[in-house]
Amino acid sequence: MNPTLPYPIGTPGTPWGPAERAAWLARQPLRRSYADEVLAPLQAHLPPEGELLDCGTLDHSALGLPRYALRAVRSKAWRDDRPTVLVTGGVHGYETSGVQGALRWLAQDFARHAARVNILLLPCISPWGYETINRWNPAALDPNRHFRRDSPVPEAAWALACVARHAPRVDLHIDLHETTDTDNSEFEPAKAARDGKQPDLHPIPDGFYLVADTDRPELDFQEAVISAVRHVTHIAEPDDSGRLIGSPMLRPGVIAYAKRALGLCGGMTGARFVTTTEVYPDSARTSVAECNEAQRVAVNAAVGVLVGV
């Protein structure tokens, strides 16, 4: 998909001010329902082994936007002598299989894993982003660059507070994402326009891949997840420079980012095992159901490594 250049908001080379941010927000209609597609199935498929947590409200009413009930699921039989698994989805609301894959995993797999590990699941961190199919929040900020103390992004702040309260020690964190064609056609051009810079575009990988943490890559763990997902969908091959989205491959289908330094969701805990999934839903070689299943299988494989299965 070709990028939208020049971006229709702002002046090239000049960062956005309040007027440009307001103009961008006015172009973001609600396209689907968080209540119907996330909260309702979360309640309907909650297993007896899990308890639904009320994590407060995300209130965008000052901008004329909705208020969102924030929900997470925690193991009922929480034991301090068990390892703890954190599963997060919907940090970027437009990455649909991150949310729907998390809900699929809750319905099909949460119960059996809850017999051996503590689980905290945050299936949709960015409800407004989910409804508008958007990477940013209403302030034109990317939640996945703001997972740090005193975060100015409420989506990141509520997730940080929820994890600190309900899972103060985490052994495994898997964060469910997608890489889409709109990364190059919309979101990177919008980011460049917002910041007064030139777009930094890379070929979109055709297939599933993982992003490890540079500080704790645990490459055998990453490889185990890739091996499991390979049975569900194809794994991304490197581009002509041997990279994925500008980063060198450490193992087939695995790159790494400095997650804490970048303020990424994957850097929010001290977990030994950390990975970010990246599904490519725009591939002609996959389907919506396959993408959701790839997320589910990735979580199961990650937990399997943690418990030694």
Side-chain angles (χ1 to χ4, degrees):
M1 300 177 68
N2 295 321
T4 304
L5 297 174
Y7 197 73
I9 296 174
T11 301
T14 302
W16 288 358
E20 289 80 12
R21 290 175 184 268
W24 172 83
L25 182 60
R27 290 164 51 95
Q28 312 304 320
L30 300 183
R31 299 179 180 182
R32 55 189 178 186
S33 170
Y34 169 74
D36 292 344
E37 298 185 20
V38 180
L39 294 185
L42 188 62
Q43 184 70 58
H45 301 300
L46 181 69
E49 294 81 2
E51 59 178 334
L52 194 61
L53 303 178
D54 181 347
C55 299
T57 302
L58 198 61
D59 189 353
H60 297 310
S61 59
L63 298 171
L65 302 174
R67 301 169 75 248
Y68 296 97
L70 300 171
R71 299 290 183 265
V73 179
R74 186 178 190 262
S75 302
K76 278 185 179 178
W78 195 278
R79 285 175 35 180
D80 291 340
D81 61 338
R82 287 177 173 170
T84 296
V85 173
L86 172 63
V87 181
T88 49
V91 173
H92 291 142
Y94 74 110
E95 297 172 7
T96 306
S97 74
V99 177
Q100 294 303 322
L103 293 172
R104 185 184 183 103
W105 182 79
L106 173 70
Q108 297 186 22
D109 305 287
F110 184 102
R112 65 185 178 90
H113 290 306
R116 293 183 294 179
V117 298
N118 302 319
I119 303 169
L120 180 63
L121 168 65
L122 281 64
C124 188
I125 289 176
S126 297
W128 181 83
Y130 185 84
E131 291 202 325
T132 58
I133 314 182
N134 212 297
R135 183 181 182 91
W136 290 346
N137 78 346
L141 294 174
D142 186 340
N144 208 32
R145 295 298 182 274
H146 292 87
F147 279 84
R148 50 176 57 98
R149 183 178 298 178
D150 301 323
S151 176
V153 173
E155 290 82 357
W158 89 259
L160 285 163
C162 178
V163 173
R165 178 178 179 184
H166 295 289
R169 190 203 78 243
V170 175
D171 300 282
L172 162 65
H173 179 193
I174 181 165
D175 190 29
L176 309 182
H177 283 252
E178 293 181 344
T179 304
T180 72
D181 286 341
T182 53
D183 287 5
N184 277 355
S185 66
E186 169 62 24
F187 297 117
E188 182 56 38
K191 176 186 173 186
R194 181 197 66 185
D195 298 341
K197 298 179 179 180
Q198 291 296 314
D200 183 21
L201 303 178
H202 300 281
I204 301 297
D206 185 349
F208 181 95
Y209 65 100
L210 294 174
V211 184
D213 190 328
T214 303
D215 295 333
R216 41 185 172 167
E218 295 288 346
L219 293 180
D220 290 344
F221 160 72
Q222 311 292 340
E223 193 167 39
V225 176
I226 288 288
S227 295
V229 174
R230 196 182 297 276
H231 296 289
V232 177
T233 193
H234 60 290
I235 306 303
E237 298 290 338
D239 61 22
D240 292 341
S241 65
R243 294 171 175 253
L244 290 175
I245 55 172
S247 297
M249 291 182 64
L250 307 180
R251 295 277 178 91
V254 181
I255 61 173
Y257 285 171
K259 298 193 176 196
R260 291 189 180 99
L262 291 171
L264 304 184
C265 183
M268 69 189 293
T269 77
R272 173 186 173 187
F273 297 111
V274 176
T275 198
T276 299
T277 65
E278 295 287 354
V279 173
Y280 180 46
D282 297 313
S283 175
R285 300 166 60 189
T286 192
S287 65
V288 169
E290 194 172 271
C291 289
N292 293 342
E293 180 66 4
Q295 302 283 23
R296 185 184 78 87
V297 168
V299 178
N300 285 336
V303 177
V305 173
L306 178 66
V307 299
V309 174

